[in-house]
Amino acid sequence: MSLIKQQDTALVAHSSLPQGLAVTQDVRMRQAQAETMARYQMAFMLPRSWEGVQAKLLLACSNPDFAREAYYRKPAGAGKFIEGLSIRFAELALQIMRNVAIDTSPEIEDEFSAHYRMVIMDLESNTPVSEIFKVEKTVERRSVRDGDTVISERTNSSGEKTYLIPATEDQFNTKLRAQMAKVKRTLVLSLVPAEVRAECLERCKDVAQRNDAKDPGAATKSIVSAFIGIGIDVPDLKEYLGKSPASATPAQIEDLRGLFALLRDGELNWAEVIAAKSELAATKGSAAEFVAKKKQERAAKKNKDKDKDKDKDKDKDKTEDSSATRRGKVSAETATEGDTDTAEAAAETKPDAPTKPPKARASRRNDDEDSSTDTAASA
């Protein structure tokens, strides 16, 4: 007996479960191991080429029918939209990529909700991505029928009262499949390189817009028929657009097509779409009020700046006048001081008048001459 067989026998002998059930669990474990090994062997033998994957995806996105369903467009308020690749694109990418394993298992469950874990494994790079998601066992209704159990009630954004009641089995399964598809899309696209996703999204949008431009009437009929197929009639579309779908613009047709992808995949319901539209209209009104208020503030600021400029000009004129007056006074004082200095300079340079002492010296010379003559005569 091999070592593995001995361990299996000991596990069965010491298990608290019945022997038949323990053997069944062991068999299932062996089957899971064999399947995992087979997947890794196939991934090793047939590796993918991202160039080939990208080429095949772009070729599929060049098909107008697929391009219309390969991306979604969701309103995000304030005139903005969130765009991305849809579940249909993720399913095709999963087939073309190959070598990817997906496993979903329940985690926690209570009276009102259930939690599940989804794990997607890239067998070539041995890269796992996972997410735990929650599915509510309840639904919201605007009215209550006889026999329904009301868990709670609230008032929505439209001012209408809604009631929370337990979901039936079919309703719960529908919500579970929709949530699983949404999580699968997110995890699968996370394995696709970003440049491949971006190029495919642009290709899908370009192909869909060019095809709509060729025949807008046919494009409108096609999208209206698609909405009718999921239970949304023309009056509902008219309420959303604010006009008849027949007069929708190319941008509105693109908006409807992206919205249809979300409704078809179960990521949104029509009540949520109308609520988002109402919030968008309210946001636009608030934005208009905000812009008008800003314009008034800007005009008031401009008038205030003009008044300040006028005051500055007045102050400047006063300053210039006072400066001119001050310069005149300074010039006058300078001129007066100049005259005074000139007079003083003239007074300093004027020659002195002759004085009497020189005459006295002359008479003294004469006396000396006379005295010298008398001396000579006596001799």
Side-chain angles (χ1 to χ4, degrees):
M1 184 181 294
S2 63
L3 180 60
I4 298 178
K5 186 66 177 179
Q6 292 176 358
Q7 292 177 350
D8 294 340
T9 305
L11 178 62
V12 172
H14 293 85
S15 175
S16 59
L17 298 174
Q19 185 174 359
L21 183 59
V23 171
T24 303
Q25 289 181 348
D26 179 67
V27 171
R28 289 179 179 176
M29 183 179 66
R30 288 178 177 275
Q31 289 178 348
Q33 291 177 349
E35 290 176 0
T36 303
M37 292 300 298
R39 289 173 179 175
Y40 276 102
Q41 288 177 359
M42 291 299 297
F44 179 76
M45 294 171 59
L46 301 172
R48 79 171 66 94
S49 170
W50 280 115
E51 291 79 7
V53 172
Q54 183 176 6
K56 292 180 180 179
L57 288 175
L58 290 175
L59 181 62
C61 294
S62 300
N63 185 349
D65 294 332
F66 178 77
R68 295 191 188 100
E69 299 182 352
Y71 75 99
Y72 65 87
R73 182 178 170 91
K74 180 170 63 175
K80 298 180 181 179
F81 294 89
I82 299 176
E83 295 180 339
L85 296 168
S86 67
I87 293 174
R88 296 294 179 268
F89 179 87
E91 291 174 349
L92 179 64
L94 188 62
Q95 296 174 6
I96 296 176
M97 289 167 57
R98 300 176 306 177
N99 301 331
V100 177
I102 302 177
D103 181 43
T104 304
S105 58
E107 291 288 317
I108 304 174
E109 186 174 358
D110 55 26
E111 184 179 358
F112 300 107
S113 64
H115 294 74
Y116 294 84
R117 178 191 294 273
M118 180 178 290
V119 181
I120 296 183
M121 173 72 74
D122 185 357
L123 301 175
E124 292 189 12
S125 62
N126 199 26
T127 302
V129 289
S130 63
E131 182 176 341
I132 297 177
F133 58 94
K134 176 182 178 182
V135 182
E136 299 288 347
K137 295 182 178 180
T138 56
V139 292
E140 279 191 337
R141 292 287 181 267
R142 295 182 182 180
S143 60
V144 181
R145 301 175 183 176
D146 294 337
D148 290 339
T149 302
V150 178
I151 300 174
S152 63
E153 62 182 47
R154 70 178 184 89
T155 303
N156 58 19
S157 58
S158 302
E160 300 176 348
K161 184 175 291 187
T162 59
Y163 302 92
L164 189 68
I165 61 176
T168 63
E169 184 177 356
D170 292 338
Q171 292 172 339
F172 176 76
N173 290 334
T174 301
K175 295 178 67 175
L176 176 60
R177 285 192 295 268
Q179 190 67 19
M180 288 177 63
K182 185 189 302 185
V183 175
K184 181 190 294 185
R185 181 200 65 195
T186 303
L187 297 180
V188 169
L189 293 180
S190 67
L191 297 176
V192 180
E195 60 273 12
V196 177
R197 298 198 306 266
E199 189 173 359
C200 290
L201 178 60
E202 292 301 323
R203 176 69 63 86
C204 290
K205 292 170 58 178
D206 182 63
V207 170
Q209 291 173 2
R210 284 192 287 108
N211 190 71
D212 292 344
K214 291 180 181 179
D215 193 352
T220 303
K221 291 180 181 178
S222 175
I223 192 63
V224 171
S225 300
F227 272 99
I228 293 175
I230 59 176
I232 299 172
D233 211 339
V234 176
D236 299 324
L237 296 177
K238 186 175 181 180
E239 179 185 2
Y240 176 78
L241 295 174
K243 59 181 180 180
S244 175
S247 58
T249 63
Q252 290 175 329
I253 293 175
E254 183 183 3
D255 180 20
L256 289 176
R257 179 172 293 112
L259 197 61
F260 170 76
L262 295 175
L263 294 168
R264 177 202 58 206
D265 297 335
E267 298 188 34
L268 283 178
N269 56 52
W270 189 247
E272 294 173 344
V273 173
I274 297 301
K277 185 70 174 180
S278 302
E279 293 178 1
L280 178 60
T283 304
K284 286 185 177 179
S286 302
E289 295 175 359
F290 177 78
V291 171
K293 182 179 179 181
K294 286 298 180 181
K295 286 183 177 179
Q296 294 177 356
E297 293 178 357
R298 193 179 298 112
K301 185 178 180 181
K302 286 183 178 179
N303 295 332
K304 189 176 181 180
D305 293 339
K306 288 181 180 179
D307 295 338
K308 286 183 179 180
D309 293 339
K310 290 181 180 179
D311 294 339
K312 288 181 179 179
D313 293 338
K314 291 180 180 179
D315 295 339
K316 185 177 180 180
D317 293 339
K318 292 180 180 179
T319 304
E320 291 178 353
D321 294 339
S322 60
S323 299
T325 303
R326 194 179 303 108
R327 285 196 299 270
K329 291 182 179 180
V330 171
S331 300
E333 293 175 356
T334 305
T336 305
E337 292 177 356
D339 295 341
T340 305
D341 295 340
T342 303
E344 291 178 356
E348 291 178 356
T349 57
K350 186 176 181 181
D352 295 337
T355 56
K356 292 181 179 179
K359 291 183 179 180
R361 287 195 297 271
S363 60
R364 193 180 301 116
R365 270 197 314 270
N366 294 331
D367 294 342
D368 293 338
E369 291 177 357
D370 294 338
S371 60
S372 56
T373 306
D374 292 341
T375 303
S378 59

